[in-house]
Each structure stands twice: as structure tokens, then as C-alpha cells.
Amino acid sequence: MIFIVQRLSKGLYAKVNEMLNTIGGQWHTGAQAHIFEDDPRDLIEEMIATGAVYTRKDFEFFETTTELSQRVIAHADLEFGMKTMEPNAGRGALAVPAAKFVGIENVTCFELMERNVKHLQALGFTIAH
């Protein structure tokens, strides 16, 4: 959650708001803050250091829906112990349900988007480089 605690000029606020939205912040009126799915500190530091940040669009990341991932996994005929790889793992929409069949130790994920890599690692997945 990010609070803007200082009054900003209209133009500066618009730029800060756009930046926070770009990195995944959603304005929450009740909290009077931008809410993030993941900790945004690394992204903000990256933006300050480089003047750039890579977003989902830059990585062509389009999350697989739960319905579609269930259909894919149902057709995969997975069995415990099978080695599986998710070549575009994203946030694990296919890897998580596959792990329920084959065991998480048998699922290897490949992902380029750093915040997704961190998310997958936090879930316990092995990341191929």
C-alpha cells in the first residue's frame, strides 16, 4: 500500500498516479492509497535508478484464466512424478494446478518477468534460467 502523504501539484500528482498505476497499483478510495498485489519497492527503486520500468505489456504477459487452466490440466493426463515444464509460467496459472498432480518438485518454470519469478519462487517452484 502506498500513501501520498504530501500535497502535490496537480501535474506532479498526475505523473505519480500514472507511475503507480503502471507498476500495478490500484487506487482504493476507502484506504486513500494505491494498493499493490506485490511489494512495489523493487519496482520503484528500478524506476528511480534507471528511469524505466517494464510492465506486463512489455513482457506480453496475459494471465491464463482459471477456467482455461483447468481445461488444459484436465487434458494433460498428468500423473504423480511426471516431470513438467511451464515455459511461460507467468504467475503460475498452469504450474500451480500441475503441481497438484505431479508434485511441486517435478514442475520447472521458465519466466522472464522478475516480479513473476519472485512470485513463483515464493510458491516453491524451481525456475529455469
Side-chain angles (χ1 to χ4, degrees):
M1 193 177 307
I2 293 183
F3 298 95
I4 300 173
V5 296
Q6 180 179 352
R7 183 145 173 87
L8 305 176
S9 70
K10 187 176 182 178
L12 180 56
Y13 175 80
K15 289 178 183 178
V16 170
N17 183 57
E18 180 182 0
M19 182 265 311
L20 293 174
N21 288 331
T22 297
I23 62 172
Q26 298 291 320
W27 177 252
H28 187 279
T29 303
Q32 291 293 293
H34 286 82
I35 307 294
F36 290 84
E37 196 173 295
D38 298 313
D39 188 338
R41 284 181 274 201
D42 290 343
L43 291 172
I44 292 170
E45 288 177 15
E46 177 185 336
M47 289 179 79
I48 291 169
T50 67
V53 67
Y54 295 102
T55 65
R56 292 171 172 230
K57 189 169 94 173
D58 295 317
F59 284 94
E60 295 185 11
F61 170 55
F62 304 99
E63 197 154 9
T64 304
T65 65
T66 302
E67 179 186 327
L68 181 57
S69 66
Q70 289 173 351
R71 288 175 48 207
V72 169
I73 296 301
H75 288 291
D77 293 327
L78 297 174
E79 296 177 13
F80 186 77
M82 288 178 132
K83 300 287 185 192
T84 62
M85 180 172 192
E86 169 52 278
N88 296 298
R91 296 185 60 81
L94 292 173
V96 169
K100 291 177 182 174
F101 286 94
V102 303
I104 197 165
E105 68 280 0
N106 293 312
V107 178
T108 301
C109 296
F110 184 81
E111 177 58 40
L112 294 174
M113 193 170 172
E114 188 59 33
R115 66 186 115 156
N116 287 346
V117 168
K118 288 178 182 178
H119 177 78
L120 293 164
Q121 288 172 327
L123 293 175
F125 287 103
T126 300
I127 309 298
H129 296 281

